[in-house]
Every structure is written in structure tokens, then in C-alpha cells.
Amino acid sequence: MTPTAARPEDTRPTPPARRRPGGRTARIRAQVHDAVLAELGEHGYDGLTMDAVAARAGVHRATVYRRWGDVGGLLADVLDAASDDGWQPPDTASLKGDLAALNHEIQEALTALPPIVAALIAASFRSEKADQAQQRLWEDRYARCEVIVSRAIGRGELPPHTDARRLLIAATAPVYHQLVLLRTAPDPNLPDHAAGTAALAAFAGAFAGPPPDDDT
């Protein structure tokens, strides 16, 4: 599950875009990010060092220390950079299809080799900076995916006051639970089954919240 499309019901002002570095600064940042992911995938959090990242990126170690400070700073910047991508949630024209496609993306990311996504999640339990950045990334991804529920409400598949976040968590949690917590082999049927179960429950009103207060 990985800028958020504006939701029809969302009238909040769009926050200003973060300024992105350009030129040599952007190139160095990209090189360092690639090196962090490669080192993390190969050696895990315990084997991730500032010097190894600098050497792999071809960047002077003083530059890496000055800009990122420590391993936690490197991981946090890598995770924050993920929020600058153009990823959008699937649009299959059905709630179940969207949730299933989302679950398949999650399962593929968590089982890819080298296990970079899994290693980033694990690292967030070891570094406070990485943990905070991981939480920001989860918030970004779930916010982007709320459009799946908005579309389903618009098609009449769901009650109008369905709680998008609760539904999304219920649909995706089984995949994370199996692969991240239990660390068992991936089940090719689980993404579809979890999506179908959550969609049925949502259709029955299991995630319907109270209607908004009408002050008029």
C-alpha cells in the first residue's frame, strides 16, 4: 500500500508541497537512499552503518554524517521520501476488486527479495526516528486508500457513513499479520479472501459510523 487523490467529500485545504532538493543535492540523496536500501536488504538493521552507506553510495562519509546524523536519520529520510511518490490505489470498479488488488500489492512488497519493505518495518522497532517516519508513511498510505471507500459509497456498494480507515485496516490486516507477525509462507488465496470478507462485512454495515452532526 503505497500525493493523495482528492476525495469528493474532502473539503480540507491542500497542504503546501514539500520543497524537494534539486541538482547535485538530489543526486546525492538518491544515491544514499539506494545505498541504505541495499545495505538494509543485505545486512538488516544491525549491519547498517553510516560508513557502509557512504562507501556504497560513493559519497564522502562527512557529507552523510552532516546531513543525516545517524542511521535513524537515514532510515527516516528514506521512509519520508516514499511519501513523495505518485502511487495511487487500485481502481477495478468494485470494492472487493480494489481491496484484493491492494492486498496483492502488499503481499508482493512484503515477500520481494531482497526483503527491503520487511526490513524497513523491522527497523522501525529499533529506531525512534524510523518509527516516527514509519507512522507518517502509514498515515499517508491509508489516507490515499480512503478513495477506495469513497468510490464504493458513490457506486452504492456501501452505506454512506462507512468508516474508511476501519474498513481498510480490516481488509489489509490479515496479510500483514501472516507475513510480518507470524512470518509464515505467503498464501496466494489470502489477499482475495481477506478482501472479500472485509467487503461483505462492510456491505452489511459493520464499519458504518454515525452520520456527521448537522448544525444547520
Side-chain angles (χ1 to χ4, degrees), residues 35 70 153 158 197 214:
D70 56 20
I153 292 173
L158 294 175
T197 300
D214 187 356

Side-chain angles (χ1 to χ4, degrees), residues 61-169:
R61 64 191 298 273
T63 300
V64 177
Y65 278 96
R66 182 175 63 252
R67 176 160 182 180
W68 287 279
D70 56 20
V71 166
L74 284 170
L75 290 167
D77 197 41
V78 167
L79 288 162
D80 283 335
S83 296
D84 292 334
D85 66 9
W87 180 85
Q88 293 295 321
D91 186 358
T92 67
S94 78
L95 175 64
K96 181 180 177 180
D98 288 353
L99 295 175
L102 182 63
N103 276 348
H104 280 287
E105 287 191 26
I106 293 169
Q107 182 156 282
E108 289 171 9
L110 289 172
T111 57
L113 295 175
I116 292 173
V117 173
L120 281 169
I121 293 174
S124 71
F125 288 93
R126 306 284 300 279
S127 163
E128 183 178 353
K129 292 178 183 177
D131 177 57
Q132 292 170 353
Q134 182 76 77
Q135 295 304 314
R136 291 192 293 270
L137 181 59
W138 287 128
E139 182 63 32
D140 171 77
R141 291 305 190 249
Y142 276 114
R144 295 190 197 198
C145 288
E146 287 179 11
V147 70
I148 290 176
V149 179
S150 312
R151 292 192 301 242
I153 292 173
R155 291 190 296 263
E157 292 182 83
L158 294 175
H161 305 302
T162 298
D163 187 313
R165 186 65 54 92
R166 289 172 55 210
L167 169 52
L168 290 166
I169 290 174

